[in-house]
Amino acid sequence: MPARLQQLPWNVMALVLSHLMAGNQLRYHRTDSLDCEQFRRFTALLHTCRTWRHLAIRRFARTLKLSVDCTPPALTTTLAYWPTTLAHPQNEHRELVQTVTMELDFWSILNGRASALLAASPHTYTCARRLNIRFGQCEVEHEDHASEGPVIRVERFMRDVRRIMPRLRTVCIDHTVNYDIGNQDFYLAYTTLITRAFNIHEPAIRPLPVGPQLTSLTFAWNIYYLNTACLLHLCAPTLQTLYLTFNHLDNVRLLVATETGKPVAYPKLEKLSLSCWYYLDPGSRPTTNPKSMPFPALRSIYMYMDYPFADDTLFRGNHRTLEYLSMNITSSLIKISQAHKLFRSTRFAKLKAVRVKNMNIYRMQPDIPSKVAIDFALAINPTRVQTLVIEDVTMQASLMPSMLKHGQLACLQRLIVPDAFLTLANMVMLLKILPALVELHCQCAGLGPQLESLNDHKLLDTFKAYGNCLHNYFEFLQLGHWGNADIDVLAKCATLLAISCPQFTFLAVSGHMRAKLYRAISQLIADEPFACHAPRLELLLYRDTL
C-alpha cells in the first residue's frame, strides 16, 4: 500500500473502512440469494497490511457476546459481529472489546452458578465500558440448597462482573419476565439488581457514574401480581422499549398510574408494544388525568389489541416524536379519534409509517365495514405518510373508491394492501394518483374489463402511449394470487408495467409460483409483439427479483 495512504489519520481510515464494509444497500433482494461481498472485502483487508488488519479487527471486535449456560455449566465467549465465514480470533483481541453482552437466566444468579462460572474465568476485558445484560425468555428455577439469601447472591454476582470488567461505566438490562415476578424472592433479588447493581461499596471498586438502567422489558402482565406494576413504576425513568402482553385487562390503568392515582411517566420510552389474550369490554376502558403525558418520547406504537383507554392517553405529548403507528381499528377507536382530533393533519409531523388492521374476521358480529376502516386509515396524516399498510380480509374491491376519494397522498411511497383485489387498470390508476409510489403489495385480479377485450398488439400500443413515463419512481410490485391464478395474465401485467415505468424491475410472487412466472415472462418476450422490448423486459427475468 502506498505510504501516503498509511499516513492518513486513523479516524479518516476508519471512515474509509466503514464505507468499504457498507456492502450492497439495495432495498429489494431475495434473502436466499445474498452474497458475501462485504465479508470478502473484510477478508481482503485482513491480508492487505498491518494497518488495515488492525482497523478491520478493531471494528469487528468491539462487542463480545458472553453466554452463561448452566446445563451443563459453561461460559462461552464469541465476538458478536465477527463474520461467520471467517475463523474466530483467539483471546489476544480481548483488549479491543468495548461492549459486553451477557446472556443468562436470572435464576442462575440466585442459585450461584453464574457467579461460580465468572469467578473461574481467567479473562478480563480492561477496555469494556458498557454491559448489556439479556435475561432469557424461558427461566427455569434450578434446584438450590444454598443457605444464603437472594440479595447476597446478587451482590456476589455484581462483584464477579466488576472483576472481569474493571472499567465498567454503563449497565443496561434487557429482560423477558415470566410469572416468576410474582415470586417474592425473585422480585426482591431483581429489584436489588436494578437499584444497586454493580455499585459495590469496596475501596477497590469505583461506583458507576450512572446508575443501572433497565432499558428493555418484555413480559406477560398478570395484573393480580402487584409486583408487576411496582416493577414497571420503578423502571419507568429508564425504559426505552416495553413489550406487554396482558392476561387480563382489569386495572390496565396501572400502566400509567399508581394505586393511589399518581401519574407515572416514561420519559425515555421510544417503543411500546401492547397485546392481550382477550378483547376489552367496551365499558371497562379507563380514563386518565387529561394533563398527564405518560409517553412523551414515543417513536413507535404497536397495538395488537383494542385500544385500552377511553381517551387519548397513549398519544399525549408525543406529537413531535411519533414516527410509526400500528393498531387495530374498532368503532371505539374511531370515536375516540374524532372526539380528541387525534390524527388531524398538523398534529403528528414525523408520522411516516402507519399500519392498521380491521378485526372484522375475528368477531362474531362485524364492528365496522371495510370502507369505514379504509377511509379512517387514509385520513391519518395523509400529507406526510410514506408507508401505509391496511389489513382487512373483507376489503377485496373496496380500496379503489376510497383511494380516488383521498387524492392528497402526495408522499406515499409504499402501499401494502395484501387483501385488496386490484386489476392492472386499477394499478395504473393508483400510479397516476400517487406520484411518489415506489412499492405496491396487492392481490392480482386480472387485466380489468376494458383491457381484457384487447389483443396483445393493442395492449402494447395502449401502454406505449404513456411514452415510458407512466410513473418515474415505481420499482417494486408484490402480487398475491389464488392457486388457480392465470400465470399468463400475471406475466402480461408485469411486462406492460415494465414498458411504461422505467424504474420497475422488481416483481415478487410466492415461492411456488416463481418458476412458472419466470417461464411465462420468458416465453412472452420471445414472441411478437413484446420481442422488440426484450432488452428492457429481460430485467424482470433476474432470479433475484422474482
Side-chain angles (χ1 to χ4, degrees), residues 46-62:
L46 290 178
H47 297 87
T48 301
C49 70
R50 183 178 301 176
T51 302
W52 282 114
R53 178 181 175 84
H54 180 76
L55 273 173
I57 292 178
R58 187 182 185 89
R59 173 183 175 87
F60 283 93
R62 288 177 182 172

Side-chain angles (χ1 to χ4, degrees), residues 27-38:
R27 173 180 172 79
Y28 309 112
H29 52 72
R30 282 267 307 283
T31 55
D32 57 359
S33 66
L34 287 176
D35 60 19
C36 297
E37 177 63 26
Q38 59 178 343

